[in-house]
Amino acid sequence: MSAKKKILIRIGSLRHGGAEKVLVNFLKNLPEDKYEVDLLINLYTGMYIKEVPSWVKLHYLLKGEMITTNKPHEIPVKAFRVLYQKMFLWFPALLYQFILKNKKYDVEIAAIHGMYRELLSSPQKDSKKIIWIQNDIFNLKEYTPNVISQLFKFDRILVISNKLKEEMQKAAKNEQEKQAVIKIFNPIDKDDTLKKANTTIDDYPFSNDIPTFISIGTVYPQKGYDRLLDVHKKLIDEGLKHQIIIIGDGFDFEKTLAKLNELGLQETVKMLGFRSNPYPYLKKADFYVMSSRHEGFPTIIAEALILNKPVISTDVSGIKDLLQDGKLGLITPNSEEGIYGGIKKFLTDRELTTSYETEIAAADLPFVLQKSVAHLQEIIDEL
């Protein structure tokens, strides 16, 4: 039996988010007898910490809750955290000596693109480096052409959609850099999703048979909930009855709620805040709507498909792969008009939504856990 491959994986925290969930799904399904995994998180916090398998050695820089606001008493804590983390970026040898106890790694993985500097500053020059790009970085201001060129210093660049793969390969300077870019589906645990969806809930906000759309995600500007509310109001005014549930919290929550009240939509839109298990709500709703301005790989769409929900989504990164170019759901232009047209279609054409349900039920979904984990192992093993 050959020695186990020693792997270091880095991520910011394990709070609720797509990349964090993907990482935990991946770890839970890696064979313990093949790998020795150290997981280093900057901030020891989040709902997924308890899901990390016991054989994975967990290291952290800091402990405490995530701070997402700028309240005066929180600013010193935030400043200290930033400096403390920066120190290890400036003096990586300290990190590897004191926190990782001088362990040697065969492979080092940035489980999210935001950790690229940390990985590239590693004093272990012989380890193979992998970066996992979990968002459409070509839509993020900080990812300038210069930063993107840095990413090609990694041995493998994992991307989560064909669109991202094309963009990265366009940015590559030579064939070797092109070859480093690999498209990989984020692993989704189908059985786990189905099991969680069957949990009983007693606070589902609607008790009528009016068509109900649900949207789940952190309430940030990129999610486009402001557009969704405007579209909803327009359709209601036109006499097309429907309801919307939004699950998630985030720094735009209050602002979005204020807009909802301003538009007088309290009866037909319910913002439920964060739910650690949103799947029973998703199961009860009729349709899934995604109004995002940009995404990486919207995991929630995959989960909506597992629960056989017809989906309307704006044309963002990853969506064509997930909805099989529109075979499994409606892809609309990425605009308010696009979302309006999509919802209107679902409300007026019952045959369309039924045909999506039939297609989803018959589809072979490529993001199912086992396939993705096997692909990722292959990538690690060949390095």
Side-chain angles (χ1 to χ4, degrees):
M1 172 87 196
S2 58
K4 291 182 183 181
K5 240 185 188 177
K6 293 181 176 56
I7 302 172
L8 173 67
I9 301 175
R10 296 200 60 178
I11 197 163
S13 76
L14 288 177
R15 68 193 289 265
H16 49 280
E20 293 80 358
K21 182 174 192 172
V22 162
L23 175 61
V24 169
N25 271 348
F26 170 58
L27 289 172
K28 286 202 284 203
N29 290 276
L30 263 191
E32 184 186 345
D33 56 355
K34 269 186 79 172
Y35 308 103
E36 198 177 300
V37 178
D38 284 14
L39 174 61
L40 171 60
I41 51 182
N42 287 356
L43 186 62
Y44 185 90
T45 185
M47 60 186 268
Y48 293 124
I49 282 184
K50 57 180 186 297
E51 291 193 38
V52 174
S54 57
W55 63 273
V56 171
K57 194 163 177 13
L58 203 54
H59 305 271
Y60 58 88
L61 303 185
L62 293 155
K63 231 179 173 153
E65 285 309 306
M66 196 81 154
I67 302 173
T68 54
T69 53
N70 273 324
K71 294 182 181 140
H73 69 277
E74 292 170 343
I75 291 168
V77 182
K78 261 178 128 165
F80 167 75
R81 285 181 181 177
V82 168
L83 269 172
Y84 186 74
Q85 291 176 34
K86 278 261 166 46
M87 176 185 74
F88 288 121
L89 195 51
W90 295 326
F91 306 105
L94 293 177
L95 173 74
Y96 283 73
Q97 188 180 343
F98 294 107
I99 292 185
L100 300 172
K101 312 283 184 236
N102 290 323
K103 190 162 166 186
K104 294 296 272 178
Y105 298 102
D106 301 304
V107 180
E108 295 185 74
I109 302 174
I112 195 160
H113 43 279
M115 304 291 291
Y116 73 93
R117 288 185 207 84
E118 282 83 348
L119 265 278
L120 291 177
S121 73
S122 163
Q124 301 198 6
K125 299 303 168 206
D126 299 337
S127 71
K128 297 292 184 190
K129 313 277 192 299
I130 297 175
I131 188 164
W132 205 336
I133 299 178
Q134 294 274 1
N135 206 334
D136 184 357
I137 56 173
F138 292 91
N139 256 316
L140 303 175
K141 286 196 301 288
E142 61 271 32
Y143 286 85
T144 58
N146 181 33
V147 170
I148 285 169
S149 71
Q150 298 272 316
L151 303 180
F152 287 101
K153 292 179 179 169
F154 283 85
D155 298 282
R156 292 289 178 273
I157 301 165
L158 309 185
V159 293
I160 49 187
S161 70
N162 288 323
K163 181 173 174 268
L164 265 172
K165 184 178 177 180
E166 281 162 27
E167 298 263 5
M168 280 305 285
Q169 288 187 329
K170 256 189 248 164
K173 289 188 186 64
N174 53 45
E175 203 44 45
Q176 192 188 346
E177 287 189 351
K178 268 189 180 152
Q179 295 301 320
V181 183
I182 300 172
K183 145 89 182 296
I184 181 162
F185 271 107
N186 274 347
I188 311 288
D189 190 336
K190 186 179 175 178
D191 298 336
D192 186 55
T193 304
L194 292 168
K195 190 175 119 203
K196 283 179 176 161
N198 285 327
T199 315
T200 325
I201 45 167
D202 46 20
D203 64 345
Y204 188 77
F206 298 118
S207 59
N208 48 36
D209 50 10
I210 294 169
T212 303
F213 293 81
I214 190 166
S215 201
I216 300 166
T218 314
V219 188
Y220 287 157
Q222 81 166 67
K223 296 293 180 189
Y225 291 133
D226 54 330
R227 311 197 280 188
L228 186 58
L229 293 179
D230 284 331
V231 163
H232 172 64
K233 169 87 169 116
K234 200 170 161 186
L235 289 163
I236 289 284
D237 290 348
E238 285 174 27
L240 285 166
K241 281 191 171 163
H242 64 295
Q243 305 166 143
I244 295 177
I245 297 169
I246 295 172
I247 293 184
D249 61 9
F251 66 74
D252 249 20
F253 187 88
E254 296 305 328
K255 193 176 162 188
T256 310
L257 192 58
K259 180 173 177 124
L260 182 158
N261 292 327
E262 218 172 281
L263 292 171
L265 301 173
Q266 297 89 332
E267 292 306 306
T268 53
V269 181
K270 302 292 181 194
M271 290 182 73
L272 303 187
F274 174 71
R275 291 285 184 276
S276 60
N277 178 10
Y279 306 111
Y281 303 88
L282 176 54
K283 188 183 175 185
K284 270 176 148 1
D286 302 300
F287 313 115
Y288 191 87
V289 58
M290 193 165 78
S291 51
S292 294
R293 291 180 166 91
H294 58 90
E295 284 284 342
F297 176 92
T299 310
I300 190 68
I301 297 287
E303 291 161 333
L305 293 176
I306 285 170
L307 296 175
N308 206 5
K309 295 294 163 191
V311 170
I312 297 170
S313 171
T314 47
D315 189 359
V316 288
S317 173
I319 207 69
K320 286 194 167 98
D321 308 335
L322 279 164
L323 295 180
Q324 297 179 7
D325 287 322
K327 188 176 153 198
L328 304 183
L330 188 59
I331 302 170
T332 76
N334 193 343
S335 64
E336 206 167 289
E337 293 69 47
I339 301 162
Y340 167 82
I343 294 182
K344 190 167 187 170
K345 227 178 209 165
F346 268 27
L347 291 173
T348 52
D349 185 351
R350 187 63 199 135
E351 268 174 34
L352 176 72
T353 54
T354 308
S355 74
Y356 282 137
E357 283 167 1
T358 312
E359 286 290 356
I360 297 164
D364 175 28
L365 304 172
F367 46 76
V368 173
L369 191 68
Q370 290 69 20
K371 295 180 190 174
S372 295
V373 173
H375 189 187
L376 201 47
Q377 272 184 251
E378 263 168 49
I379 294 164
I380 292 172
D381 293 347
E382 62 161 40
L383 280 174

